[in-house]
Amino acid sequence: MSLRILFLDEGTSDSGITTHVRRIAGEHGFMVVVTDPLMERLPQARQRTIKSKLEMIKEIGGDYELIIIHRDADRESRESRLREIELAIEAVVPNTPFMGAIPIRMTEAWLMLDEYNIRQVSGNPNGRMNPGLPKPRSVEEIPDPKAMLAEKLALASGLSGRRLEKFKKRFPEHRRQLLDRIDPLGPICEVSSWKKFNEDLLSGLQKAAG
């Protein structure tokens, strides 16, 4: 029997995380069906909090053995974000196993470690410009990973002028591709929040299956 998993993200470009949910589940012998609803289609008022999103999902119907909620830490601690998620679960779907996918500070911190993927996604795989990527052990300390990732992609693209401006407008799609392409055996293995994501997902799957 497949475990039914609900994945709630912060935006459509975060959907690539589900690729890794399926991969990790498969590696540990779990069969899963992941539902990744298009939350941006909800009224704005229903998109604002985890609780309101869960309430809307509950109204639509559907039962899940595990709920995964993606939430960037931003300027909060991991513990604070987990508590926020826990309170929402308790209020709407108590007793349902859950986990938080919580990058520190933003998901972009997971995406700027693999030079090969950045060159591929930038459309300039044979470029020679050194993008100057951060080290895995320090990437979570970058104040604004989103801005830095956009800068690295632009640099790797080798573009300028109007072509560069058009390229920059495609950042959400580039971000989605990079998330989908994360190499689980690559530099990200050294990033603490990625390690925790893997550990928590396995624990959540075990609880859901138990």
Side-chain angles (χ1 to χ4, degrees):
M1 185 184 76
S2 296
L3 296 175
R4 293 163 296 183
I5 298 176
L6 173 66
F7 176 77
L8 293 183
D9 56 26
E10 289 197 320
T12 54
S13 59
D14 298 311
S15 63
I17 293 175
T18 61
T19 297
H20 304 287
V21 170
R22 295 184 183 93
R23 175 185 54 76
I24 294 166
E27 288 174 352
H28 290 90
F30 293 96
M31 295 178 61
V32 299
V33 175
V34 182
T35 298
D36 179 13
L38 296 174
M39 302 306 294
E40 75 276 6
R41 293 185 178 179
L42 296 178
Q44 284 292 325
R46 306 303 295 270
Q47 297 181 36
R48 291 176 182 168
T49 66
I50 297 169
K51 182 172 179 288
S52 63
K53 291 177 182 178
L54 287 171
E55 288 171 342
M56 191 66 181
I57 294 296
K58 187 175 181 179
E59 290 171 17
I60 294 171
D63 295 318
Y64 300 95
E65 281 79 42
L66 176 65
I67 296 175
I68 301 174
I69 297 176
H70 166 248
R71 187 79 165 91
D72 285 344
D74 292 323
R75 292 177 175 80
E76 300 292 333
S77 66
R78 170 183 165 80
E79 291 70 25
S80 175
R81 289 304 189 206
L82 281 174
R83 183 57 178 160
E84 177 186 354
I85 292 169
E86 182 181 12
L87 290 173
I89 292 287
E90 289 177 352
V92 184
V93 283
N95 303 316
T96 303
F98 69 94
M99 66 157 286
I102 308 174
I104 310 294
R105 305 176 182 249
M106 303 175 185
T107 306
E108 286 80 5
W110 288 355
L111 308 180
M112 65 176 93
L113 300 174
D114 193 317
E115 184 174 335
Y116 173 81
N117 281 336
I118 285 179
R119 291 193 186 282
Q120 291 291 321
V121 170
S122 74
N124 187 22
N126 298 317
R128 296 186 177 182
M129 180 70 73
N130 181 5
L133 302 183
K135 301 294 184 183
R137 294 178 183 267
S138 62
V139 72
E140 293 177 302
E141 300 171 7
I142 296 169
D144 191 348
K146 184 175 182 178
M148 180 176 282
L149 178 61
E151 173 191 317
K152 301 304 183 186
L153 281 165
L155 187 62
S157 75
L159 298 173
S160 60
R162 291 184 178 180
R163 293 178 67 190
L164 178 58
E165 291 308 309
K166 289 178 67 176
F167 174 86
K168 288 180 177 179
K169 291 178 181 178
R170 298 198 297 273
F171 178 75
E173 173 59 19
H174 297 149
R175 182 184 183 280
R176 186 197 64 76
Q177 291 181 37
L178 285 170
L179 189 51
D180 191 61
R181 287 168 172 259
I182 287 176
D183 178 2
L185 301 179
I188 199 168
C189 290
E190 299 181 48
V191 179
S192 62
S193 60
W194 176 258
K195 292 179 185 176
K196 196 64 179 167
F197 166 70
N198 282 258
E199 293 168 0
D200 288 352
L201 176 56
L202 179 56
S203 176
L205 289 167
Q206 291 170 337
K207 288 179 182 178

